């Protein structure tokens, strides 16, 4: 369809615009200079906006009305609402470049997101319980993969996507280093590996006789030997934690990793950032504030010890 098809001459006739909204998302997002995972996320999230337009029609206020619709949903976190809203904004702006008469996203802000963590990470007791469980697993190739993944999550604080992007050639066991492609990075960066993590990776690589390609591959029938996905990592973590009655997420390991370092380095956030690889200290300050608040909780409790509402 040509760009002119977007330029409806009658403001009341939006059929061509709606048709463009429904037909162009695949091609538009495929043309973006972003990772394949990001393209997949965009294509998934834009479906929400398409459903909204299908149910409510399209007009100059559709983007603002879509924000109101998302705001009223109780099944989405503020962070998720922002992701859906931003995806629609990116898409509509691109359609505007291609002929949509008006940029209807102007003067509509995103959701205000509290930077404080909504979920707790794993605590030391939970991590200790997990490690004890992993030690008892039979020494099979599949179990060595599970242990190696948990070692990277807990001892290196790697993000899920960083785990899946690792190749065997990125691991330098003798030098105790790894080269990872971090979040929002174009080049791989070197990180120092904890000795315990080196031992787990060495055991995994040896047991599975891996020489090249992806460090972690899928063992499922549908995608056997293909690079392990973030969904696959989450499935491994979820199954293991549920078996231990630990209700935490995969990201909870990065929370644990960062919090542990904030405590160990006594709040020296510059030093902590060398290991967590946060781009700014603002996010690390959130971790620091949480640590200090928990340390001060006993003082808060003690301040009201003389008050008892129980008979």
């Amino acid at each position: 369809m040509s760009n002119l098809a977007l330029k409806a001459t009658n403001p009341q006739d939006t059929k061509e615009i709606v048709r463009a909204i429904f037909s162009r998302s695949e091609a538009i997002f495929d043309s973006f200079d972003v990772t394949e995972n990001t393209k997949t996320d965009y294509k998934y999230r834009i479906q929400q906006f398409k459903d909204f337009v299908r149910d409510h029609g399209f007009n100059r206020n559709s983007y603002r009305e879509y924000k109101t619709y998302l705001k009223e949903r109780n099944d989405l976190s503020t962070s998720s609402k922002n992701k859906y809203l931003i995806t629609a904004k990116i898409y509509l702006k691109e359609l505007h470049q291609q002929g949509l008469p008006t940029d209807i996203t102007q003067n509509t802000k995103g959701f205000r997101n509290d930077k404080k963590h909504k979920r707790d990470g794993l605590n030391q007791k939970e991590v200790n319980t997990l490690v004890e469980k992993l030690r008892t697993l039979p020494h099979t190739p599949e179990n060595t993969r599970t242990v190696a993944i948990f070692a990277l999550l807990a001892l290196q604080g790697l993000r899920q996507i960083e785990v899946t992007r690792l190749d065997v050639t990125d691991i330098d066991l003798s030098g105790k280093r790894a080269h990872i492609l971090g979040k929002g990075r174009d080049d791989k960066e070197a990180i120092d590996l904890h000795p315990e993590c080196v031992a787990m990776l060495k055991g995994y690589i040896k047991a599975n006789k891996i020489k090249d390609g992806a460090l972690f591959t899928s063992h499922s029938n549908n995608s056997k030997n293909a690079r392990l996905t973030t969904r696959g990592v989450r499935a491994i973590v979820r199954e293991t934690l549920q078996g231990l009655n630990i209700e935490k997420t995969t990201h909870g390991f990065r929370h644990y990793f960062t919090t542990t370092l904030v405590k160990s380095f006594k709040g020296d956030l510059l030093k902590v950032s060398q290991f967590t690889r946060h781009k700014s200290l603002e996010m690390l300050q959130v971790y620091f504030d949480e640590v200090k608040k928990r340390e001060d909780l006993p003082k808060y409790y003690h301040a009201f010890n003389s008050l008892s509402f129980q008979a």
Side-chain angles (χ1 to χ4, degrees):
M1 180 171 59
S2 67
N3 288 346
L4 291 177
L6 280 172
K7 298 180 178 178
T9 56
N10 183 349
Q12 303 302 318
D13 184 5
T14 61
K15 289 183 179 179
E16 289 299 319
I17 293 176
V18 171
R19 186 177 298 125
I21 289 173
F22 277 85
S23 65
R24 292 193 171 188
S25 59
E26 290 285 329
I28 284 179
F29 290 136
D30 279 335
S31 70
F32 283 7
D33 184 20
V34 295
T35 66
E36 290 301 319
N37 281 332
T38 300
K39 291 177 184 178
T40 300
D41 288 343
Y42 281 157
K43 292 175 184 178
Y44 171 77
R45 293 184 193 128
I46 199 61
Q47 190 60 48
Q48 288 278 350
F49 182 66
K50 288 182 177 181
D51 291 343
F52 178 81
V53 171
R54 181 187 294 112
D55 295 338
H56 300 86
F58 184 83
N59 57 67
R60 288 177 176 270
N61 296 316
S62 286
Y63 184 69
R64 189 175 302 167
E65 292 169 355
Y66 181 55
K67 178 184 176 182
T68 300
Y69 159 75
L70 290 173
K71 183 178 181 179
E72 294 173 350
R73 288 188 57 171
N74 296 321
D75 59 325
L76 297 174
S77 67
T78 302
S79 176
S80 294
K81 292 176 182 178
N82 261 330
K83 289 177 181 178
Y84 284 115
L85 191 65
I86 290 171
T87 299
K89 184 174 187 176
I90 292 171
Y91 185 49
L92 287 169
K93 281 186 173 294
E94 185 62 25
L95 285 181
H96 177 54
Q97 290 292 321
Q98 296 189 15
L100 187 67
T102 306
D103 179 4
I104 67 170
T105 69
Q106 289 185 335
N107 302 319
T108 301
K109 298 180 180 179
F111 296 100
R112 302 183 77 175
N113 194 7
D114 186 354
K115 291 185 180 295
K116 293 182 179 180
H117 295 113
K118 303 299 189 300
R119 297 179 179 178
D120 289 335
L122 279 83
N123 58 45
Q124 192 61 57
K125 181 179 179 180
E126 290 169 332
V127 173
N128 289 344
T129 299
L130 169 65
V131 171
E132 287 300 318
K133 173 63 178 179
L134 295 177
R135 285 176 177 173
T136 65
L137 293 177
H139 191 74
T140 65
E142 183 168 2
N143 285 340
T144 61
R145 183 189 67 162
T146 298
V147 174
I149 288 174
F150 276 115
L152 287 168
L153 294 173
L155 295 174
Q156 307 297 152
L158 293 197
R159 301 175 177 90
Q160 302 165 48
I161 189 66
E162 293 169 345
V163 172
T164 63
R165 287 173 175 171
L166 281 170
D167 291 327
V168 179
T169 53
D170 293 328
I171 307 299
D172 178 7
L173 294 175
S174 59
K176 296 180 181 178
R177 304 196 92 189
H179 290 82
I180 64 169
L181 185 57
K183 180 181 179 182
R185 305 278 185 173
D186 293 321
D187 296 324
K188 292 184 178 182
E189 56 185 321
I191 63 169
D192 294 298
L193 293 174
H194 190 282
E196 187 69 17
C197 190
V198 171
M200 297 305 100
L201 287 171
K202 184 176 182 179
Y204 162 68
I205 292 173
K206 181 179 180 180
N208 289 270
K209 300 178 181 179
I210 304 173
K211 299 189 180 299
D212 54 30
L215 180 62
F216 297 110
T217 56
S218 174
H219 293 177
S220 68
N221 293 329
N222 293 334
S223 55
K224 192 172 181 63
N225 296 326
R227 183 181 293 272
L228 188 65
T229 64
T230 53
R231 181 179 296 180
V233 171
R234 290 194 296 273
I236 292 170
V237 171
R238 182 171 57 251
E239 181 180 355
T240 305
L241 294 187
Q242 285 180 347
L244 298 171
N245 293 318
I246 298 175
E247 297 182 3
K248 298 293 172 65
T249 65
T250 306
H251 187 73
F253 285 94
R254 183 161 172 79
H255 189 289
Y256 161 78
F257 175 77
T258 304
T259 300
T260 302
L261 289 182
V262 168
K263 293 177 181 178
S264 181
F265 285 98
K266 302 186 185 302
D268 190 334
L269 302 185
L270 280 175
K271 289 184 178 179
V272 172
S273 67
Q274 296 177 32
F275 298 96
T276 64
R277 297 168 289 106
H278 282 91
K279 294 181 179 179
S280 72
L281 298 185
E282 184 180 5
M283 195 65 238
L284 283 178
Q285 185 65 45
V286 174
Y287 284 96
F288 177 74
D289 291 344
E290 288 183 1
V291 169
K292 293 301 296 179
K293 183 179 179 180
R294 288 191 178 277
E295 289 178 352
D296 290 338
L297 272 177
K299 294 180 182 179
Y300 162 55
Y301 296 153
H302 181 73
F304 297 95
N305 274 351
S306 61
L307 296 180
S308 178
F309 291 86
Q310 301 180 51

PDB file of all heavy atoms in Angstrom, residues 119-146:
ATOM      1  N   ARG A 119       9.361  -5.980  43.585  1.00  0.00           N
ATOM      2  CA  ARG A 119       9.526  -7.342  44.084  1.00  0.00           C
ATOM      3  C   ARG A 119      10.894  -7.483  44.726  1.00  0.00           C
ATOM      4  O   ARG A 119      11.876  -6.908  44.276  1.00  0.00           O
ATOM      5  CB  ARG A 119       9.403  -8.354  42.939  1.00  0.00           C
ATOM      6  CG  ARG A 119       8.049  -8.372  42.249  1.00  0.00           C
ATOM      7  CD  ARG A 119       8.051  -9.387  41.131  1.00  0.00           C
ATOM      8  NE  ARG A 119       6.768  -9.460  40.444  1.00  0.00           N
ATOM      9  CZ  ARG A 119       6.531 -10.240  39.403  1.00  0.00           C
ATOM     10  NH1 ARG A 119       7.510 -11.008  38.931  1.00  0.00           N
ATOM     11  NH2 ARG A 119       5.351 -10.256  38.827  1.00  0.00           N
ATOM     12  N   ASP A 120      10.913  -8.265  45.785  1.00  0.00           N
ATOM     13  CA  ASP A 120      12.189  -8.526  46.439  1.00  0.00           C
ATOM     14  C   ASP A 120      12.994  -9.541  45.642  1.00  0.00           C
ATOM     15  O   ASP A 120      12.433 -10.426  44.989  1.00  0.00           O
ATOM     16  CB  ASP A 120      11.959  -9.075  47.851  1.00  0.00           C
ATOM     17  CG  ASP A 120      11.434  -8.011  48.797  1.00  0.00           C
ATOM     18  OD1 ASP A 120      11.688  -6.826  48.533  1.00  0.00           O
ATOM     19  OD2 ASP A 120      10.764  -8.369  49.778  1.00  0.00           O
ATOM     20  N   GLY A 121      14.308  -9.408  45.707  1.00  0.00           N
ATOM     21  CA  GLY A 121      15.167 -10.424  45.135  1.00  0.00           C
ATOM     22  C   GLY A 121      15.300 -11.590  46.093  1.00  0.00           C
ATOM     23  O   GLY A 121      14.682 -11.603  47.167  1.00  0.00           O
ATOM     24  N   LEU A 122      16.078 -12.565  45.709  1.00  0.00           N
ATOM     25  CA  LEU A 122      16.312 -13.682  46.616  1.00  0.00           C
ATOM     26  C   LEU A 122      17.144 -13.204  47.799  1.00  0.00           C
ATOM     27  O   LEU A 122      18.035 -12.361  47.649  1.00  0.00           O
ATOM     28  CB  LEU A 122      17.046 -14.821  45.901  1.00  0.00           C
ATOM     29  CG  LEU A 122      16.171 -15.735  45.040  1.00  0.00           C
ATOM     30  CD1 LEU A 122      15.947 -15.133  43.665  1.00  0.00           C
ATOM     31  CD2 LEU A 122      16.797 -17.113  44.914  1.00  0.00           C
ATOM     32  N   ASN A 123      16.865 -13.736  48.961  1.00  0.00           N
ATOM     33  CA  ASN A 123      17.704 -13.430  50.118  1.00  0.00           C
ATOM     34  C   ASN A 123      18.748 -14.524  50.288  1.00  0.00           C
ATOM     35  O   ASN A 123      18.738 -15.537  49.586  1.00  0.00           O
ATOM     36  CB  ASN A 123      16.853 -13.257  51.386  1.00  0.00           C
ATOM     37  CG  ASN A 123      16.012 -14.495  51.687  1.00  0.00           C
ATOM     38  OD1 ASN A 123      16.494 -15.623  51.615  1.00  0.00           O
ATOM     39  ND2 ASN A 123      14.740 -14.283  52.028  1.00  0.00           N
ATOM     40  N   GLN A 124      19.666 -14.313  51.228  1.00  0.00           N
ATOM     41  CA  GLN A 124      20.774 -15.241  51.391  1.00  0.00           C
ATOM     42  C   GLN A 124      20.306 -16.635  51.792  1.00  0.00           C
ATOM     43  O   GLN A 124      20.861 -17.647  51.332  1.00  0.00           O
ATOM     44  CB  GLN A 124      21.758 -14.712  52.441  1.00  0.00           C
ATOM     45  CG  GLN A 124      23.084 -15.451  52.487  1.00  0.00           C
ATOM     46  CD  GLN A 124      23.839 -15.356  51.174  1.00  0.00           C
ATOM     47  OE1 GLN A 124      24.133 -14.274  50.699  1.00  0.00           O
ATOM     48  NE2 GLN A 124      24.159 -16.506  50.581  1.00  0.00           N
ATOM     49  N   LYS A 125      19.277 -16.697  52.634  1.00  0.00           N
ATOM     50  CA  LYS A 125      18.765 -17.996  53.064  1.00  0.00           C
ATOM     51  C   LYS A 125      18.225 -18.776  51.869  1.00  0.00           C
ATOM     52  O   LYS A 125      18.459 -19.989  51.743  1.00  0.00           O
ATOM     53  CB  LYS A 125      17.666 -17.806  54.114  1.00  0.00           C
ATOM     54  CG  LYS A 125      17.094 -19.112  54.645  1.00  0.00           C
ATOM     55  CD  LYS A 125      16.028 -18.852  55.706  1.00  0.00           C
ATOM     56  CE  LYS A 125      15.436 -20.170  56.210  1.00  0.00           C
ATOM     57  NZ  LYS A 125      14.380 -19.927  57.245  1.00  0.00           N
ATOM     58  N   GLU A 126      17.504 -18.097  50.986  1.00  0.00           N
ATOM     59  CA  GLU A 126      16.942 -18.768  49.809  1.00  0.00           C
ATOM     60  C   GLU A 126      18.029 -19.235  48.860  1.00  0.00           C
ATOM     61  O   GLU A 126      17.955 -20.330  48.292  1.00  0.00           O
ATOM     62  CB  GLU A 126      15.975 -17.817  49.089  1.00  0.00           C
ATOM     63  CG  GLU A 126      14.696 -17.560  49.875  1.00  0.00           C
ATOM     64  CD  GLU A 126      13.874 -16.436  49.292  1.00  0.00           C
ATOM     65  OE1 GLU A 126      14.463 -15.526  48.653  1.00  0.00           O
ATOM     66  OE2 GLU A 126      12.640 -16.428  49.496  1.00  0.00           O
ATOM     67  N   VAL A 127      19.053 -18.412  48.686  1.00  0.00           N
ATOM     68  CA  VAL A 127      20.166 -18.797  47.814  1.00  0.00           C
ATOM     69  C   VAL A 127      20.908 -19.992  48.410  1.00  0.00           C
ATOM     70  O   VAL A 127      21.301 -20.919  47.696  1.00  0.00           O
ATOM     71  CB  VAL A 127      21.127 -17.620  47.585  1.00  0.00           C
ATOM     72  CG1 VAL A 127      22.369 -18.067  46.821  1.00  0.00           C
ATOM     73  CG2 VAL A 127      20.422 -16.512  46.803  1.00  0.00           C
ATOM     74  N   ASN A 128      21.084 -19.982  49.721  1.00  0.00           N
ATOM     75  CA  ASN A 128      21.751 -21.115  50.378  1.00  0.00           C
ATOM     76  C   ASN A 128      20.943 -22.399  50.189  1.00  0.00           C
ATOM     77  O   ASN A 128      21.508 -23.475  49.951  1.00  0.00           O
ATOM     78  CB  ASN A 128      21.921 -20.838  51.872  1.00  0.00           C
ATOM     79  CG  ASN A 128      22.961 -19.769  52.150  1.00  0.00           C
ATOM     80  OD1 ASN A 128      23.771 -19.438  51.270  1.00  0.00           O
ATOM     81  ND2 ASN A 128      22.950 -19.221  53.344  1.00  0.00           N
ATOM     82  N   THR A 129      19.618 -22.290  50.297  1.00  0.00           N
ATOM     83  CA  THR A 129      18.745 -23.451  50.092  1.00  0.00           C
ATOM     84  C   THR A 129      18.896 -23.973  48.666  1.00  0.00           C
ATOM     85  O   THR A 129      18.967 -25.187  48.427  1.00  0.00           O
ATOM     86  CB  THR A 129      17.274 -23.068  50.346  1.00  0.00           C
ATOM     87  OG1 THR A 129      17.132 -22.639  51.705  1.00  0.00           O
ATOM     88  CG2 THR A 129      16.350 -24.251  50.078  1.00  0.00           C
ATOM     89  N   LEU A 130      18.948 -23.065  47.708  1.00  0.00           N
ATOM     90  CA  LEU A 130      19.108 -23.437  46.303  1.00  0.00           C
ATOM     91  C   LEU A 130      20.443 -24.145  46.079  1.00  0.00           C
ATOM     92  O   LEU A 130      20.501 -25.201  45.429  1.00  0.00           O
ATOM     93  CB  LEU A 130      19.031 -22.191  45.419  1.00  0.00           C
ATOM     94  CG  LEU A 130      19.441 -22.371  43.963  1.00  0.00           C
ATOM     95  CD1 LEU A 130      18.478 -23.310  43.245  1.00  0.00           C
ATOM     96  CD2 LEU A 130      19.528 -21.032  43.253  1.00  0.00           C
ATOM     97  N   VAL A 131      21.514 -23.578  46.615  1.00  0.00           N
ATOM     98  CA  VAL A 131      22.848 -24.163  46.421  1.00  0.00           C
ATOM     99  C   VAL A 131      22.915 -25.572  47.006  1.00  0.00           C
ATOM    100  O   VAL A 131      23.490 -26.489  46.400  1.00  0.00           O
ATOM    101  CB  VAL A 131      23.928 -23.260  47.052  1.00  0.00           C
ATOM    102  CG1 VAL A 131      25.289 -23.957  47.056  1.00  0.00           C
ATOM    103  CG2 VAL A 131      24.023 -21.941  46.276  1.00  0.00           C
ATOM    104  N   GLU A 132      22.315 -25.749  48.186  1.00  0.00           N
ATOM    105  CA  GLU A 132      22.299 -27.080  48.800  1.00  0.00           C
ATOM    106  C   GLU A 132      21.572 -28.086  47.902  1.00  0.00           C
ATOM    107  O   GLU A 132      21.990 -29.234  47.760  1.00  0.00           O
ATOM    108  CB  GLU A 132      21.633 -27.019  50.173  1.00  0.00           C
ATOM    109  CG  GLU A 132      22.474 -26.356  51.248  1.00  0.00           C
ATOM    110  CD  GLU A 132      23.793 -27.076  51.477  1.00  0.00           C
ATOM    111  OE1 GLU A 132      23.796 -28.335  51.496  1.00  0.00           O
ATOM    112  OE2 GLU A 132      24.825 -26.399  51.607  1.00  0.00           O
ATOM    113  N   LYS A 133      20.491 -27.640  47.274  1.00  0.00           N
ATOM    114  CA  LYS A 133      19.748 -28.504  46.374  1.00  0.00           C
ATOM    115  C   LYS A 133      20.581 -28.839  45.138  1.00  0.00           C
ATOM    116  O   LYS A 133      20.629 -30.012  44.705  1.00  0.00           O
ATOM    117  CB  LYS A 133      18.449 -27.807  45.947  1.00  0.00           C
ATOM    118  CG  LYS A 133      17.657 -28.545  44.865  1.00  0.00           C
ATOM    119  CD  LYS A 133      17.182 -29.908  45.336  1.00  0.00           C
ATOM    120  CE  LYS A 133      16.360 -30.598  44.264  1.00  0.00           C
ATOM    121  NZ  LYS A 133      15.913 -31.950  44.696  1.00  0.00           N
ATOM    122  N   LEU A 134      21.245 -27.859  44.574  1.00  0.00           N
ATOM    123  CA  LEU A 134      22.049 -28.091  43.375  1.00  0.00           C
ATOM    124  C   LEU A 134      23.208 -29.055  43.647  1.00  0.00           C
ATOM    125  O   LEU A 134      23.607 -29.825  42.770  1.00  0.00           O
ATOM    126  CB  LEU A 134      22.598 -26.755  42.850  1.00  0.00           C
ATOM    127  CG  LEU A 134      21.550 -25.750  42.345  1.00  0.00           C
ATOM    128  CD1 LEU A 134      22.217 -24.449  41.917  1.00  0.00           C
ATOM    129  CD2 LEU A 134      20.731 -26.335  41.193  1.00  0.00           C
ATOM    130  N   ARG A 135      23.735 -29.017  44.853  1.00  0.00           N
ATOM    131  CA  ARG A 135      24.841 -29.910  45.208  1.00  0.00           C
ATOM    132  C   ARG A 135      24.420 -31.377  45.211  1.00  0.00           C
ATOM    133  O   ARG A 135      25.255 -32.264  45.016  1.00  0.00           O
ATOM    134  CB  ARG A 135      25.379 -29.544  46.596  1.00  0.00           C
ATOM    135  CG  ARG A 135      26.229 -28.286  46.631  1.00  0.00           C
ATOM    136  CD  ARG A 135      26.624 -27.976  48.064  1.00  0.00           C
ATOM    137  NE  ARG A 135      27.490 -26.820  48.157  1.00  0.00           N
ATOM    138  CZ  ARG A 135      27.863 -26.261  49.304  1.00  0.00           C
ATOM    139  NH1 ARG A 135      27.427 -26.774  50.459  1.00  0.00           N
ATOM    140  NH2 ARG A 135      28.658 -25.203  49.306  1.00  0.00           N
ATOM    141  N   THR A 136      23.117 -31.613  45.446  1.00  0.00           N
ATOM    142  CA  THR A 136      22.642 -32.997  45.547  1.00  0.00           C
ATOM    143  C   THR A 136      22.215 -33.572  44.199  1.00  0.00           C
ATOM    144  O   THR A 136      21.890 -34.757  44.116  1.00  0.00           O
ATOM    145  CB  THR A 136      21.450 -33.088  46.513  1.00  0.00           C
ATOM    146  OG1 THR A 136      20.339 -32.346  45.971  1.00  0.00           O
ATOM    147  CG2 THR A 136      21.808 -32.506  47.878  1.00  0.00           C
ATOM    148  N   LEU A 137      22.209 -32.742  43.150  1.00  0.00           N
ATOM    149  CA  LEU A 137      21.769 -33.235  41.845  1.00  0.00           C
ATOM    150  C   LEU A 137      22.755 -34.245  41.281  1.00  0.00           C
ATOM    151  O   LEU A 137      23.974 -34.074  41.423  1.00  0.00           O
ATOM    152  CB  LEU A 137      21.633 -32.059  40.858  1.00  0.00           C
ATOM    153  CG  LEU A 137      20.541 -31.028  41.135  1.00  0.00           C
ATOM    154  CD1 LEU A 137      20.605 -29.910  40.093  1.00  0.00           C
ATOM    155  CD2 LEU A 137      19.162 -31.680  41.129  1.00  0.00           C
ATOM    156  N   PRO A 138      22.262 -35.303  40.637  1.00  0.00           N
ATOM    157  CA  PRO A 138      23.161 -36.269  39.976  1.00  0.00           C
ATOM    158  C   PRO A 138      24.010 -35.542  38.924  1.00  0.00           C
ATOM    159  O   PRO A 138      23.553 -34.601  38.281  1.00  0.00           O
ATOM    160  CB  PRO A 138      22.189 -37.254  39.314  1.00  0.00           C
ATOM    161  CG  PRO A 138      20.919 -37.125  40.095  1.00  0.00           C
ATOM    162  CD  PRO A 138      20.838 -35.698  40.508  1.00  0.00           C
ATOM    163  N   HIS A 139      25.233 -35.993  38.748  1.00  0.00           N
ATOM    164  CA  HIS A 139      26.157 -35.317  37.835  1.00  0.00           C
ATOM    165  C   HIS A 139      25.872 -35.752  36.400  1.00  0.00           C
ATOM    166  O   HIS A 139      26.566 -36.583  35.823  1.00  0.00           O
ATOM    167  CB  HIS A 139      27.603 -35.616  38.219  1.00  0.00           C
ATOM    168  CG  HIS A 139      28.590 -34.755  37.491  1.00  0.00           C
ATOM    169  ND1 HIS A 139      28.782 -33.425  37.801  1.00  0.00           N
ATOM    170  CD2 HIS A 139      29.442 -35.025  36.462  1.00  0.00           C
ATOM    171  CE1 HIS A 139      29.692 -32.917  36.993  1.00  0.00           C
ATOM    172  NE2 HIS A 139      30.120 -33.866  36.176  1.00  0.00           N
ATOM    173  N   THR A 140      24.818 -35.157  35.822  1.00  0.00           N
ATOM    174  CA  THR A 140      24.471 -35.430  34.430  1.00  0.00           C
ATOM    175  C   THR A 140      24.757 -34.188  33.594  1.00  0.00           C
ATOM    176  O   THR A 140      24.833 -33.073  34.127  1.00  0.00           O
ATOM    177  CB  THR A 140      22.979 -35.790  34.296  1.00  0.00           C
ATOM    178  OG1 THR A 140      22.200 -34.626  34.661  1.00  0.00           O
ATOM    179  CG2 THR A 140      22.612 -36.946  35.206  1.00  0.00           C
ATOM    180  N   PRO A 141      24.916 -34.349  32.278  1.00  0.00           N
ATOM    181  CA  PRO A 141      25.150 -33.177  31.420  1.00  0.00           C
ATOM    182  C   PRO A 141      24.077 -32.105  31.579  1.00  0.00           C
ATOM    183  O   PRO A 141      24.384 -30.913  31.611  1.00  0.00           O
ATOM    184  CB  PRO A 141      25.156 -33.772  30.013  1.00  0.00           C
ATOM    185  CG  PRO A 141      25.656 -35.174  30.215  1.00  0.00           C
ATOM    186  CD  PRO A 141      25.041 -35.616  31.515  1.00  0.00           C
ATOM    187  N   GLU A 142      22.805 -32.532  31.681  1.00  0.00           N
ATOM    188  CA  GLU A 142      21.725 -31.558  31.813  1.00  0.00           C
ATOM    189  C   GLU A 142      21.804 -30.816  33.137  1.00  0.00           C
ATOM    190  O   GLU A 142      21.585 -29.602  33.204  1.00  0.00           O
ATOM    191  CB  GLU A 142      20.367 -32.247  31.687  1.00  0.00           C
ATOM    192  CG  GLU A 142      19.203 -31.264  31.741  1.00  0.00           C
ATOM    193  CD  GLU A 142      17.885 -31.880  31.323  1.00  0.00           C
ATOM    194  OE1 GLU A 142      17.864 -33.093  31.030  1.00  0.00           O
ATOM    195  OE2 GLU A 142      16.890 -31.149  31.275  1.00  0.00           O
ATOM    196  N   ASN A 143      22.132 -31.534  34.217  1.00  0.00           N
ATOM    197  CA  ASN A 143      22.235 -30.883  35.525  1.00  0.00           C
ATOM    198  C   ASN A 143      23.417 -29.925  35.590  1.00  0.00           C
ATOM    199  O   ASN A 143      23.349 -28.891  36.267  1.00  0.00           O
ATOM    200  CB  ASN A 143      22.340 -31.928  36.630  1.00  0.00           C
ATOM    201  CG  ASN A 143      21.014 -32.611  36.910  1.00  0.00           C
ATOM    202  OD1 ASN A 143      19.949 -32.076  36.572  1.00  0.00           O
ATOM    203  ND2 ASN A 143      21.066 -33.781  37.521  1.00  0.00           N
ATOM    204  N   THR A 144      24.506 -30.250  34.900  1.00  0.00           N
ATOM    205  CA  THR A 144      25.640 -29.317  34.891  1.00  0.00           C
ATOM    206  C   THR A 144      25.262 -28.020  34.182  1.00  0.00           C
ATOM    207  O   THR A 144      25.759 -26.951  34.540  1.00  0.00           O
ATOM    208  CB  THR A 144      26.879 -29.934  34.202  1.00  0.00           C
ATOM    209  OG1 THR A 144      26.560 -30.254  32.837  1.00  0.00           O
ATOM    210  CG2 THR A 144      27.351 -31.185  34.928  1.00  0.00           C
ATOM    211  N   ARG A 145      24.384 -28.117  33.204  1.00  0.00           N
ATOM    212  CA  ARG A 145      23.884 -26.909  32.539  1.00  0.00           C
ATOM    213  C   ARG A 145      23.085 -26.070  33.525  1.00  0.00           C
ATOM    214  O   ARG A 145      23.256 -24.835  33.610  1.00  0.00           O
ATOM    215  CB  ARG A 145      23.018 -27.272  31.335  1.00  0.00           C
ATOM    216  CG  ARG A 145      22.528 -26.053  30.553  1.00  0.00           C
ATOM    217  CD  ARG A 145      21.490 -26.401  29.494  1.00  0.00           C
ATOM    218  NE  ARG A 145      20.236 -26.874  30.075  1.00  0.00           N
ATOM    219  CZ  ARG A 145      19.079 -26.911  29.428  1.00  0.00           C
ATOM    220  NH1 ARG A 145      19.018 -26.527  28.165  1.00  0.00           N
ATOM    221  NH2 ARG A 145      17.986 -27.361  30.012  1.00  0.00           N
ATOM    222  N   THR A 146      22.191 -26.710  34.276  1.00  0.00           N
ATOM    223  CA  THR A 146      21.378 -26.005  35.258  1.00  0.00           C
ATOM    224  C   THR A 146      22.249 -25.292  36.283  1.00  0.00           C
ATOM    225  O   THR A 146      22.035 -24.113  36.591  1.00  0.00           O
ATOM    226  CB  THR A 146      20.434 -26.989  35.976  1.00  0.00           C
ATOM    227  OG1 THR A 146      19.554 -27.581  35.022  1.00  0.00           O
ATOM    228  CG2 THR A 146      19.623 -26.287  37.052  1.00  0.00           C
TER     229      THR A 146
END
